[in-house]
Amino acid sequence: MRLAVPVPLRRLFDYLPPEGLSADDLRPGQRFWVPFGNRSLVAVLVELVQESPLAELKPALERIDRLPIFDDRSRQFLQWAADYYQAPLGELYAAALPVALRKGKPADHWAEQWLELTTEGKGLPETALARAPKQQTLLQLLLNKGRQSRTALNAQGLNAPVCKALIERNLARWVAGPTAPPPLEQVAPRPAPELNDEQRQVIAAVEFGKFNASLVEGTTGSGKTEIYLQLMERALQQGNQALLLVPEIGLTPQTLRRIAARFPDFRIAALHSGLADGERARAWLSAASGVADIVIGTRSAIFTPLPRLGVILVDEEHDGSFKQQDGVRYSARDLSLVLARSANVPVLLGSATPSLESLHNALSGRYQHLRLRHRAGNARPPQISLVPTLHQQLQEGFAPQVLRHIGDTLQRGEQALVFINRRGYAPAITCEDCGWLADCPHCSSKLTLHRRQRHLRCHHCDYRQREVHACPQCHSRNLNALGAGTERSEDFLTHTFNQFPVIRVDRDTTGSKQALDRLLEPARNGEPCLLLGTQMLAKGHHLPKVTLVVIQDADGGLFSADFRAPERMGQLLEQVAGRAGRGDLPGHVLVQSRYPEHPMLQLLLNKGYGAFARQLLEERQITQLPPVRAMALVRAECEEPRWAEEFLTNARLYLEALAPPSPELQYLGPVPALLERKSGRFRFYIQITAEKRGLLQKLLANFCHWAESNKNRRLRWAVDMDAQELS
Ligand code: ADP
Ligand code: ZN
Ligand code: ZN
């Protein structure tokens, strides 16, 4: 038998079946323990073969699953992804599995007891058992919706004694069955609103039962989530599963509540990093066995086998978290199209600020291009004004009129939101006497002062050291914290608006999804308050009382060396601005900038992200960069910079010998990454752009083969197909 073993080698490995098992016991998609070197690893059977080119095969140690946990379609899909991203298949299987299953825990561990009616039970009328109300509720449930898992019954307060009563009357019995998803918080059901015309047109354009791809470009608050819910419902009515992919910080308790409130009768599995290993395995298995009807998850949920898949929805498709930046560097957004095609189902990508990739596909007709131009309900688009900051007397980074606006908003009993793209107190510490700067000893970056925790921290490698009060170079005590992060602004704003609560939202104040939910509680209740935070505030939250949004510094993306920086800046500004005026009250956005005349900023703020993005797309046409061309990076990093550079220089020679540079194929590099040194390693890359993906694929496959024979163990290399970051 041929298995995918989780090792960084792009090949499969042959083993004999474990002792005592015959060919009849073996099925692709089962997991096995196999000996590998002097370790035991969890591998997945991909193919049964009669003969192996190897003379002496070892037997696998043990079969873990009796029933395969990967079905045919999902195995083909993983194979496709491995080929496309030049990733070892074994590592892809590992990425697809939740940790507990990756470690070899048997799926049976989460097998569930299900309560089903006996023939006698099925024959009863719904009104039977009227004298025992709980038993009657249970009977009705089983009559109307079929068998129920013990987990689901417990969550509804139908516990063991009630079940036992029915069993003793010989009306029901427990049977062993597949895993059920962990129960969600109980919420009151909420029916769907009446759709507006634009929403109806979008829904009508999506065809079920066949592959079709759509991009819905809908302004913030235009009712995209409502569209996802309605499309899910269509799939569920046909007896199929719905997959909703959300960004890492998009899977909030608020989103889950909204979905649970709409679909009280369906089984929902949420897959995200906040779950304990066991819970995540249960959610995954319930999806893979077809028990869960709705699967909501972040990036890796795309790899969950879904035997009844009926529709795929990708929320905030432009979000960077859909692309994995290490290990197997896949894009869940891009893979959603591949999966939809192979499952013959519709896929819909949605965003107020579509990626240039998706916009390009929509404008060129590869996707249906659907638009929502108006906000749903009564909400109106916010009014946006630029506030020049260059020759202004600023107070801790805020212009006086901005502070006045914040004060007025709070006085009116409304909420204001201040967006600051930096965590911590200050992004750099310097000595005023000798010019010393606090650098990370392991990265080419500055240390950020976190005053609450009294330490300096590197945001790239998480190195920490105690806060310093004297210059380590000249011993002067004249140290200065440069610039402002969220902590510093929090201090200032709390002091300035001391009658109102100031809520800081960033990764330091929100350890868990629940923490964020709790933190936002006063804001949801509608009390006047001042929200202040990083991009965590830009996404997903629907806070109707926010009428003022302040963007403290809009200039971040204007002068970056990364060609995607303006696109990201535009997305972020539009998303943050979109938090204003989502309810009945009108919204206002104030954007502080040192370069208010900058044409890109002008375009973005006057014409909106749509026009801005189309302009960027034209520039990419001229520069021949993605999405107009396919691009991949070949990366290498090493403590010894010369080795990484030399490796890539040789790599380029090798690649150019296979396919010389031409107008259709261009090489750049090796060049240092934008963050040249990280965690003690120097990082370089070669950038390859090609007119045709096929050519790039072939080249990269050859390169991997060549690079796998590289014997320098201290050098790490990787292929990054459709790379998103040059950092
Ligand atoms: P988006 O996902 O585009 O930001 P949402 O779907 O969250 O937008 O909708 C924004 C708000 O408008 C939500 O409160 C939602 O309940 C409401 N809404 C959506 N569609 C409608 C509709 N057709 N009628 C009334 N309210 C709606
Ligand atoms: Zn000094
Ligand atoms: Zn560092």
Side-chain angles (χ1 to χ4, degrees):
M1 48 183 204
R2 193 153 286 167
L3 292 104
V5 181
V7 290
L9 295 172
R10 287 157 185 77
R11 45 163 294 206
L12 299 171
F13 295 86
D14 291 349
Y15 288 89
L16 294 171
E19 273 173 49
L21 289 188
S22 70
D24 290 344
D25 300 319
L26 308 176
R27 285 211 260 137
Q30 293 166 325
R31 286 172 302 156
F32 289 79
W33 280 110
V34 298
F36 196 88
N38 48 14
R39 296 178 292 167
S40 305
L41 296 174
V42 175
V44 178
L45 175 56
V46 274
E47 204 185 334
L48 288 165
V49 285
Q50 297 307 325
E51 277 168 44
S52 171
L54 292 180
E56 273 186 35
L57 293 185
K58 287 188 188 162
L61 302 171
E62 188 188 339
R63 186 184 66 171
I64 301 170
D65 307 301
R66 202 170 39 81
L67 299 171
I69 59 172
F70 288 98
D71 59 14
D72 291 350
R73 188 171 66 224
S74 101
R75 290 199 322 278
Q76 277 163 20
F77 176 58
L78 288 166
Q79 180 67 60
W80 191 96
D83 292 342
Y84 184 80
Y85 291 107
Q86 310 297 333
L89 187 59
E91 290 192 345
L92 252 147
Y93 273 104
L97 286 166
V99 172
L101 297 175
R102 200 183 300 160
K103 287 185 181 159
K105 198 138 194 176
D108 292 347
H109 181 79
W110 293 278
E112 180 97 33
Q113 294 290 107
W114 293 71
L115 191 67
E116 65 173 28
L117 291 174
T118 58
T119 322
E120 216 168 305
K122 282 183 190 144
L124 285 186
E126 275 193 40
T127 47
L129 310 180
R131 270 181 295 161
K134 278 228 158 172
Q135 290 179 40
Q136 191 184 19
T137 311
L138 178 57
L139 175 69
Q140 282 171 348
L141 188 67
L142 295 170
L143 279 170
N144 292 328
K145 299 205 195 117
R147 66 182 190 171
Q148 297 290 313
S149 69
R150 193 191 284 270
T151 312
L153 291 174
N154 283 343
Q156 294 169 63
L158 297 165
N159 42 24
V162 190
C163 301
K164 204 165 154 216
L166 251 59
I167 293 168
E168 275 169 2
R169 292 174 174 214
N170 204 18
L171 301 175
R173 64 173 163 249
W174 288 115
V175 290
T179 314
L184 297 176
E185 182 190 335
Q186 292 270 318
V187 285
R190 210 171 45 223
E194 181 87 15
L195 292 185
N196 61 38
D197 286 345
E198 280 190 329
Q199 286 172 318
R200 260 198 289 274
Q201 280 167 20
V202 170
I203 306 249
V206 177
E207 287 182 71
F208 278 71
K210 61 178 259 204
F211 169 69
N212 59 108
S214 317
L215 170 70
V216 42
E217 184 179 8
T219 181
T220 49
S222 58
K224 293 183 294 298
T225 309
E226 191 50 49
I227 285 170
Y228 309 146
L229 294 173
Q230 303 256 352
L231 292 175
M232 279 183 182
E233 187 169 3
R234 286 261 293 274
L236 297 173
Q237 279 165 355
Q238 296 168 355
N240 292 330
Q241 291 174 301
L243 172 64
L244 171 64
L245 295 178
V246 295
E248 237 151 46
I249 42 187
L251 193 51
T252 58
Q254 199 182 2
T255 318
L256 278 177
R257 279 197 290 269
R258 185 163 169 192
I259 294 166
R262 180 63 60 81
F263 302 109
D265 294 343
F266 290 92
R267 300 189 180 106
I268 303 173
L271 287 161
H272 57 87
S273 51
L275 294 175
D277 287 354
E279 299 285 276
R280 195 173 169 124
R282 277 172 72 189
W284 193 94
L285 287 166
S286 74
S289 60
V291 169
D293 302 302
I294 301 172
V295 178
I296 311 160
T298 46
R299 178 172 70 222
S300 66
I302 190 70
F303 294 129
T304 316
L306 296 165
R308 299 187 282 124
L309 183 61
V311 67
I312 308 178
L313 306 156
V314 184
D315 186 22
E316 311 280 11
E317 64 82 27
H318 66 279
D319 193 274
S321 73
F322 288 122
K323 175 78 161 62
Q324 171 130 321
Q325 305 291 4
D326 50 22
V328 183
R329 295 167 185 252
Y330 64 95
S331 159
R333 192 258 326 274
D334 295 350
L335 283 175
S336 73
L337 284 122
V338 179
L339 182 60
R341 189 186 288 279
S342 84
N344 222 15
V345 302
V347 52
L348 178 117
L349 314 179
S351 175
T353 55
S355 61
L356 295 194
E357 277 75 10
S358 298
L359 198 60
H360 183 61
N361 283 326
L363 294 174
S364 65
R366 287 188 59 200
Y367 301 167
Q368 292 196 78
H369 194 185
L370 310 169
R371 307 289 295 268
L372 294 173
R373 293 168 202 272
H374 305 286
R375 284 191 160 181
N378 294 325
R380 295 289 138 256
Q383 186 199 336
I384 304 182
S385 329
L386 265 166
V387 180
T389 52
L390 196 52
H391 299 297
Q392 285 234 37
Q393 196 56 269
L394 300 183
Q395 261 185 294
E396 290 284 345
F398 293 96
Q401 68 264 46
V402 168
L403 293 172
R404 239 183 355 260
H405 264 96
I406 297 178
D408 292 348
T409 305
L410 295 171
Q411 291 295 348
R412 282 199 306 274
E414 297 161 13
Q415 299 171 349
L417 184 157
V418 176
F419 170 73
I420 293 171
N421 209 12
R422 279 197 184 111
R423 287 183 296 139
Y425 186 84
I429 302 292
T430 185
C431 169
E432 293 290 337
D433 291 330
C434 76
W436 168 82
L437 270 164
D439 289 318
C440 174
H442 310 294
C443 306
S444 34
S445 68
K446 305 273 164 286
L447 295 175
T448 297
L449 170 61
H450 286 251
R451 188 158 269 178
R452 306 271 189 284
Q453 289 110 330
R454 297 211 178 91
H455 64 214
L456 302 172
R457 192 193 307 169
C458 173
H459 286 181
H460 297 289
C461 72
D462 212 34
Y463 165 84
R464 290 153 198 235
Q465 70 174 59
R466 297 261 310 262
E467 185 180 356
V468 290
H469 297 284
C471 172
Q473 213 162 262
C474 74
H475 310 292
S476 158
R477 298 190 75 81
N478 196 5
L479 296 186
N480 194 3
L482 299 176
T486 46
E487 280 184 11
R488 187 172 198 161
S489 300
E490 181 189 23
D491 288 355
F492 170 68
L493 295 170
T494 308
H495 179 74
T496 312
F497 304 104
N498 52 19
Q499 316 94 297
F500 299 97
V502 173
I503 304 170
R504 172 162 66 98
V505 177
D506 59 30
R507 241 193 295 160
D508 298 321
T509 61
T510 56
S512 66
K513 302 261 148 60
Q514 284 69 26
L516 176 59
D517 204 38
R518 270 200 305 277
L519 211 56
L520 289 176
E521 186 83 48
R524 267 204 306 280
N525 292 342
E527 300 162 24
C529 64
L530 180 52
L531 292 155
L532 143 94
T534 57
Q535 52 188 335
M536 291 191 95
L537 277 177
K539 301 194 185 151
H541 313 290
H542 184 66
L543 299 166
K545 275 288 193 94
V546 171
T547 58
L548 176 68
V549 165
V550 173
I551 294 166
Q552 199 218 22
D553 176 10
D555 304 335
L558 291 178
F559 309 103
S560 168
D562 185 341
F563 71 90
R564 283 199 177 84
E567 175 186 355
R568 288 199 203 102
M569 176 195 78
Q571 288 162 348
L572 194 54
L573 294 196
E574 180 97 359
Q575 295 283 349
V576 179
R579 300 303 112 198
R582 288 172 65 96
D584 294 335
L585 301 164
H588 202 144
V589 183
L590 298 176
V591 182
Q592 296 197 148
S593 169
R594 289 162 63 82
Y595 314 97
E597 308 297 331
H598 196 290
M600 288 317 281
L601 207 51
Q602 284 285 335
L603 181 62
L604 177 64
L605 298 183
N606 294 329
K607 297 272 170 57
Y609 178 83
F612 174 81
R614 284 160 179 78
Q615 167 81 36
L616 289 180
L617 209 45
E618 276 178 32
E619 287 174 15
R620 302 270 182 98
Q621 198 81 50
I622 295 163
T623 50
Q624 291 287 300
L625 285 167
V628 176
R629 289 201 160 200
M631 182 177 104
L633 300 186
V634 173
R635 298 173 179 274
E637 55 176 64
C638 188
E639 284 164 25
E640 183 55 62
R642 270 182 312 127
W643 293 352
E645 225 177 339
E646 192 183 284
F647 172 80
L648 289 180
T649 305
N650 289 334
R652 180 162 170 179
L653 288 174
Y654 171 81
L655 289 166
E656 288 195 353
L658 287 178
S662 69
E664 289 81 45
L665 178 73
Q666 268 150 13
Y667 299 90
L668 169 79
V671 292
L674 290 186
L675 184 69
E676 185 171 352
R677 183 162 172 254
K678 185 178 175 185
S679 303
R681 276 189 296 274
F682 290 86
R683 312 153 78 232
F684 295 82
Y685 63 78
I686 303 175
Q687 175 183 311
I688 314 172
T689 46
E691 204 167 84
K692 298 213 170 59
R693 278 202 150 61
L695 177 59
L696 199 49
Q697 291 293 298
K698 247 199 320 241
L699 264 179
L700 294 172
N702 277 306
F703 164 77
C704 288
H705 193 72
W706 175 84
E708 276 185 5
S709 61
N710 160 59
K711 291 285 177 272
N712 186 343
R713 291 180 151 269
R714 284 163 64 192
L715 183 131
R716 296 188 192 167
W717 60 270
V719 166
D720 194 351
M721 185 63 198
D722 302 325
Q724 290 292 311
E725 305 271 353
L726 305 181
S727 62

